[in-house]
Amino acid sequence: MDFGLSDEQQLIVDTVRSFVEKEIYPHEQEVERSGHVPEEVGQEIAQKCKDIGFFASNMPAEHGGGGLGHLDFTLLERELGRGSMALTVFFGRPSGILAACEGEQIERYLRPAIRGDKFDALAMTEPGAGSDVRGMQCTARQDGDDWVVNGTKHFISHADIADFIIVFIATGEEETDRGKKKKISCFLVDRGTPGFEILPGYNSVSHRGYHNCILNFEDCRLPSAQILGEVHRGFEVANEWLYATRLTVATMSVGRARRAFDLALPHAATRKQFGQQIGKFQGVSFKLADMVTDIDAADWLTLSAAWRLDKGLPANREIASAKVFATEMLARVTDEAIQIFGGMGLMDDFPLERFWRDSRVERIWDGTSEIQRHIISRELLRPIGG
Amino acid sequence: MEKILVGLKRVVDYNVRVRVKSDGSGVETDGVKMSINPFDEIALEEALRIKERGEASEVVVVSVGGSEAQQQLRTGLAMGADRAILVVTESELDPLTGARVLMELVDREQPGLVLLGKQAIDNDNNQTGQMLAALWGRPQATFASEVVLNGDTAKVTREVDVGLESIDIDLPAVITADLRLNEPRYVKLPDIMKAKKKPLDEIQFAEMGVESAVPVANLQFEPPQQRAKGIMVDDVAGLVSALKDKGLL
């Protein structure tokens, strides 16, 4: 067992850290206050990321991606997690699910996404279908070789900057032992397709500038060729690839928590009250001890889950553990960092209040904490008949 | 020119708050982030730009130090250097011995240009480049903020106390990089993967046939004295009188 980073991994970490500090941090304040990323800023980040060969580093090398393994990519995203998501979204990481592209889809979607010519977004959630994904109302009815789609998706992250969306849609129902169950298919939908609209979503307290959108389908006609994977097998495609988003949330939470800690620690060592540094008060010093322990635990839990994926070991439970622990850790750490800063921590002159707000959504999106606990406990109980 | 030799020193990262070891034997480096000396990184960046302009065909990075300095050389290779040489020694080198090692490497490699950082941020000696030029019997241009090659000569803009000085030097020569010479690039992901396959030769210091300079022993390290608390004065008259009280005026 070796807990050290290889020279290559260290270089990846150092390079991305330096990129985030130089190319992301300087724009954060403006994005946070305006709630908007100027187009040229986003394009510049994407271009610089391409120039250094880090664009689509998670995608297969045979199609022009960086071909990084799960552990290497998790280390990379940990450093990205220090920066504002509204900006780091331009540090291109196409959805891994696109590796399921076949035939013409490879040239139309996979490769343009890897080159950065097209941006993708992923749509599953609906107003009536959050954690209960199978409850989705957005449906496609077959008509000859086409599918006619009607329904609404919401909370679709960065769809505003996407050229195409990977959308999960109900394509029928089947009888099972436990009653009727929807059959789900995964479609590739181009912006501008007739009957398909991308609308502005809601204003969220978390990740300002990283927009969520509403998708409307009204008799939107999609050829069968737009189906990613097999028809009615959308969940198989999702299950094979979507674990990656939970690892992303976990590791970015670790990165952000470290940044909050990096602010809190020197503050405790320099801020004086009652004639001494506040870090000399046990009430503050023990907070720091708990925070760093918490962060390290989440870090190793996340890295070990990624390592399991690289080794081809079962990792579903471990990823769920990493996601729930890292996101709840982030909430504790950002909250305590503000406590150490006192009132100043709540002012938007410092990024702590932002980290605190941003942390809230991490326990909700990409599978709520409750869903993660459900996954973990189910994996424990099922094999013994529980 | 055929070849540029670039020196890379492994130093405590500039972001790290340096601490003296509790026994005073040196600076704490255990578990401390180590990096390429920033001025050396700038020197390497300049060498790579020269090569990319087609004015040199090979960039060789060299370091003198423990085997852990491989990490900094690998970073240099990932930035784009073609090969690396590590002269392995566990002892702390003084600038003259370092310059002698570099001179031996110059003899072996016959570079058309040696690019070094103006100084290393650990001891801030600012001597090695100058000493190497003297040992080599070749021109030196220190504190470079711009380098323009022109066949067998180079026009170098130097940052000196009174401003900028421009000099022409014959090549081969030693040029040392100042902060504003360039901004080093990000390492490219494909190059990180390629760096592992690039040659990194190790030579033991003892095999170099280099004589150590007059030994300089570091006896004791101490952190700087904490500055005494200052006082606030109301006006200039108060300042003058306070200075007089301290016998400083």
Side-chain angles (χ1 to χ4, degrees):
Chain A
M1 203 178 238
D2 183 355
F3 288 96
L5 298 187
S6 68
D7 286 352
E8 288 77 21
Q9 288 168 334
Q10 189 63 54
L11 265 173
I12 290 171
V13 166
D14 290 349
T15 304
V16 178
R17 168 80 70 95
S18 164
F19 190 96
V20 171
E21 287 175 354
K22 286 189 204 154
E23 315 294 341
I24 304 288
Y25 286 6
H27 300 294
E28 287 183 335
Q29 187 87 324
E30 188 198 333
V31 168
E32 201 56 26
R33 289 187 172 164
S34 70
H36 174 72
V37 179
E39 193 181 339
E40 63 277 12
V41 171
Q43 291 310 318
E44 192 189 345
I45 292 167
Q47 189 55 50
K48 284 186 174 167
C49 178
K50 286 176 202 170
D51 291 345
I52 60 169
F54 271 87
F55 203 93
S57 60
N58 57 323
M59 300 303 280
E62 60 188 290
H63 293 297
L68 286 186
H70 294 287
L71 181 55
D72 293 354
F73 186 61
T74 299
L75 288 165
L76 178 158
E77 287 201 305
R78 187 181 72 188
E79 300 311 312
L80 275 188
R82 299 175 74 92
S84 150
M85 275 193 77
L87 293 156
T88 56
V89 67
F90 292 98
F91 194 100
R93 292 154 291 142
S95 179
I97 201 169
L98 288 172
C101 281
E102 280 182 8
E104 269 195 0
Q105 292 173 345
I106 292 173
E107 289 304 330
R108 286 183 60 208
Y109 298 103
L110 175 60
R111 292 199 168 157
I114 289 173
R115 286 195 302 270
D117 295 342
K118 286 185 178 176
F119 250 81
D120 65 286
L122 195 131
M124 197 162 311
T125 305
E126 296 180 7
S131 293
D132 178 17
V133 184
R134 277 204 198 262
M136 65 174 63
Q137 299 294 316
C138 187
T139 53
R141 168 178 57 79
Q142 195 157 18
D143 181 24
D145 192 39
D146 289 349
W147 293 84
V148 180
V149 187
N150 280 288
T152 301
K153 297 276 173 189
H154 80 165
F155 293 164
I156 308 310
S157 297
H158 67 257
D160 54 328
I161 56 166
D163 298 290
F164 69 96
I165 322 272
I166 303 154
V167 192
F168 290 84
I169 299 170
T171 43
E173 274 185 344
E174 61 187 337
E175 287 295 340
T176 70
D177 300 344
R178 289 182 289 174
K180 279 190 179 165
K181 196 170 161 188
K182 284 197 170 117
K183 293 195 277 196
I184 312 286
S185 301
C186 179
F187 287 81
L188 298 160
V189 187
D190 291 308
R191 173 185 286 273
T193 303
F196 170 55
E197 270 187 311
I198 303 172
L199 302 168
Y202 317 87
N203 286 323
S204 170
V205 296
S206 294
H207 300 298
R208 218 175 263 166
Y210 182 68
H211 299 147
N212 64 80
C213 297
I214 295 169
L215 311 184
N216 259 342
F217 293 89
E218 207 175 321
D219 290 332
C220 174
R221 193 167 275 274
L222 299 172
S224 290
Q226 297 304 106
I227 293 177
L228 184 65
E230 284 178 48
V231 68
H232 304 321
R233 314 290 273 191
F235 267 18
E236 276 87 336
V237 187
N239 288 337
E240 193 177 343
W241 299 105
L242 288 192
Y243 54 77
T245 66
R246 289 186 284 147
L247 265 186
T248 294
V249 175
T251 198
M252 290 183 100
S253 294
V254 172
R256 201 166 311 123
R258 289 240 189 257
R259 188 170 169 200
F261 185 78
D262 290 346
L263 290 167
L265 180 64
H267 186 76
T270 49
R271 166 83 170 164
K272 285 186 179 166
Q273 289 289 276
F274 304 103
Q276 63 174 5
Q277 297 148 307
I278 58 171
K280 291 202 191 303
F281 293 107
Q282 204 174 63
V284 171
S285 65
F286 277 19
K287 279 191 204 312
L288 291 165
D290 289 343
M291 287 158 79
V292 80
T293 306
D294 225 2
I295 299 170
D296 281 352
D299 202 356
W300 289 116
L301 199 55
T302 307
L303 294 177
S304 73
W307 175 87
R308 290 181 70 87
L309 282 176
D310 280 337
K311 294 285 175 195
L313 298 167
N316 197 33
R317 180 192 59 82
E318 287 79 0
I319 292 171
S321 291
K323 204 267 180 187
V324 69
F325 187 80
T327 55
E328 293 183 358
M329 170 282 291
L330 179 62
R332 293 189 290 271
V333 166
T334 53
D335 197 76
E336 291 291 46
I338 286 176
Q339 199 64 23
I340 290 170
F341 259 72
M344 214 52 215
L346 289 169
M347 303 302 134
D348 73 355
D349 301 77
F350 291 96
L352 283 176
E353 59 85 28
R354 165 158 63 92
F355 301 155
W356 183 60
R357 282 186 287 108
D358 288 352
S359 77
R360 191 60 190 88
V361 74
E362 312 294 351
R363 285 177 279 160
I364 297 171
W365 65 9
D366 292 281
T368 59
S369 289
E370 292 70 25
I371 289 289
Q372 305 306 327
R373 288 191 167 87
H374 167 72
I375 293 170
I376 298 164
S377 54
R378 188 186 58 190
E379 295 244 345
L380 293 172
L381 290 165
R382 260 197 195 163
I384 55 168
Chain B
M1 89 185 60
E2 192 144 315
K3 196 184 289 178
I4 303 176
L5 203 66
V6 179
L8 300 183
K9 189 174 187 186
R10 176 182 167 92
V11 297
V12 173
D13 188 85
Y14 72 95
N15 279 314
V16 172
R17 208 156 156 185
V18 172
R19 279 181 301 124
V20 172
K21 283 182 183 168
S22 51
D23 65 359
S25 64
V27 164
E28 190 62 75
T29 54
D30 279 353
V32 168
K33 182 168 165 53
M34 305 294 283
S35 296
I36 297 178
N37 172 41
F39 294 111
D40 297 349
E41 200 181 354
I42 294 168
L44 173 56
E45 175 65 32
E46 196 63 19
L48 295 172
R49 291 183 187 188
I50 291 169
K51 187 189 159 192
E52 284 160 2
R53 287 200 298 266
E55 294 173 328
S57 38
E58 191 184 24
V59 175
V60 182
V61 284
V62 302
S63 191
V64 189
S67 54
E68 62 280 359
Q70 274 198 17
Q71 202 187 352
Q72 280 62 46
L73 289 173
R74 288 275 174 225
T75 304
L77 293 171
M79 278 177 74
D82 299 288
R83 61 190 173 88
I85 303 170
L86 173 60
V87 177
V88 185
T89 175
E90 293 305 326
S91 25
E92 174 95 0
L93 289 190
D94 60 282
L96 182 54
T97 310
R100 283 176 178 168
V101 171
L102 289 174
M103 187 57 231
E104 177 61 25
L105 291 171
V106 164
D107 273 343
R108 294 182 187 196
E109 296 286 335
Q110 296 292 318
L113 174 64
V114 175
L115 268 164
L116 305 172
K118 67 167 179 178
Q119 65 200 64
I121 61 167
D122 47 9
N123 293 332
D124 281 327
N125 282 318
N126 181 10
Q127 295 173 4
T128 307
Q130 293 87 332
M131 286 175 169
L132 172 63
L135 291 171
W136 196 9
R138 295 299 310 170
Q140 57 177 291
T142 50
F143 314 117
S145 65
E146 192 184 359
V147 176
V148 179
L149 297 187
N150 189 11
D152 294 334
T153 62
K155 188 185 222 26
V156 180
T157 306
R158 304 180 62 229
E159 295 199 3
V160 291
D161 288 346
V162 290
L164 297 177
E165 179 191 48
S166 181
I167 58 169
D168 287 302
I169 53 167
D170 291 328
L171 298 175
V174 177
I175 297 177
T176 72
D178 213 322
L179 186 67
R180 280 162 287 273
L181 179 56
N182 59 50
E183 194 178 324
R185 66 195 60 196
Y186 295 112
V187 176
K188 294 188 171 78
L189 181 59
D191 293 342
I192 291 177
M193 301 308 167
K194 277 184 221 150
K196 204 172 188 170
K197 297 191 185 87
K198 289 184 179 174
L200 192 164
D201 294 326
E202 287 197 5
I203 308 173
Q204 294 301 318
F205 176 75
E207 292 164 17
M208 293 286 285
V210 169
E211 199 187 328
S212 288
V214 181
V216 178
N218 294 317
L219 300 178
Q220 181 73 18
F221 284 74
E222 280 173 29
Q225 289 261 322
Q226 288 275 353
R227 223 173 59 169
K229 204 169 176 214
I231 56 161
M232 298 298 288
V233 292
D234 295 330
D235 48 25
V236 175
L239 176 65
V240 171
S241 113
L243 288 173
K244 276 187 179 156
D245 287 349
K246 289 188 173 293
L248 295 168
L249 206 68

